[in-house]
Structures are given as C-alpha cells and as structure tokens.
Amino acid sequence: MKFHHIGIATNNLEQSLLFVKENFKVLHHTDTIYDVQQDAYLIMITTKDLNIELVSGNVVEGFISKKQSYYHVCYEVDDIERAIKSFSLSVIATPPKEAILFNNRRVAFLLTPIGLIELLETEK
C-alpha cells in the first residue's frame, strides 16, 4: 500500500485550484473531469510534495454543508479485493468500480475508524 493523494471537497473547483496554485508548487493538473460513476467533478493536481484531488458535486455536498473540506486519503494497492479484506473494522462505502480520472483503474471507498479511505488499484 502506497500513499497516492488526499481528496478535498469543494463547491468551487476553480477557486480551490487557484488557491493551490498560489500556495504550492504545482507541477501539473488535469482539466475538470466529470465521473458519472462517482457523480463528481474532479481535478487532480500534482504538486512538488503531494497529489491533491479536488472533488465537487453531489457526492461531497454533506461534507461541504458541514464546512469540512477534508474528504479522503487514497492509497494505491496491487490487489483491491485483498486490500479491502485487510481493513478490519471497516465498512465498504463504495465497492470497486472504474474511475475515469485514473484511466479506468478501479477504486473503492471504505469507512474506517480513521475516516474515509480510497483504494486505487495499481496499473496492470
């Protein structure tokens, strides 16, 4: 398991992207992508120090209404099913499905005692 990115909930992708650009050394960012399976608008930002995924849409409305911007932490895993089984005391929030932002690699979300964790299957 390897750290991949943090997910940040926002109701304004452009404003959040501008903030990141002004405060971090941005190496690259994607255009805004809509993922129908996640029902979310997404931008992936690569900075000098870490990757940040900006997430907007219905999927994060509850977080935003509570003034929470931290959404999830993502780890890259070789075998997503095995990784899911290894997380004891966790509940599957979203079973594995393809994610357009990650070239259709599979992702799954788990509710854990330390918050929401996204698992991203490594490229084969």
Side-chain angles (χ1 to χ4, degrees):
M1 190 165 66
K2 176 182 163 191
F3 174 79
H4 190 270
H5 69 265
I6 58 168
I8 302 296
T10 179
N11 59 2
N12 189 322
L13 289 171
E14 291 75 25
Q15 183 180 11
S16 297
L17 177 59
L18 181 60
F19 173 84
V20 173
K21 285 180 171 180
E22 289 175 350
N23 292 282
F24 298 87
K25 182 175 171 131
V26 172
L27 304 175
H28 177 294
H29 68 83
T30 66
D31 292 331
T32 300
I33 295 170
Y34 178 71
D35 187 331
V36 67
Q37 294 213 47
Q38 309 282 340
D39 190 22
Y41 292 90
L42 310 162
I43 296 175
M44 180 58 71
I45 306 166
T46 302
T47 75
K48 179 179 173 272
D49 299 309
L50 79 152
N51 297 325
I52 301 168
E53 179 185 28
L54 301 178
V55 183
S56 184
N58 293 332
V59 72
V60 294
E61 285 298 319
F63 286 87
I64 293 168
S65 69
K66 295 175 188 170
K67 307 266 189 257
Q68 293 176 306
S69 58
Y70 167 75
Y71 177 43
H72 68 268
V73 62
C74 177
Y75 295 96
E76 211 168 12
V77 296
D78 292 329
D79 182 332
I80 202 164
E81 281 83 10
R82 190 176 75 216
I84 289 169
K85 289 177 186 173
S86 74
F87 273 84
S88 62
L89 304 175
S90 298
V91 176
I92 299 172
T94 305
K97 59 184 168 185
E98 293 180 348
I100 192 169
L101 185 64
F102 303 113
N103 298 317
N104 294 319
R105 291 191 284 164
R106 294 188 309 156
V107 299
F109 285 88
L110 304 175
L111 296 172
T112 76
I114 60 169
L116 190 63
I117 290 180
E118 179 181 20
L119 300 174
L120 169 64
E121 203 163 46
T122 55
E123 289 190 80
K124 303 288 183 197

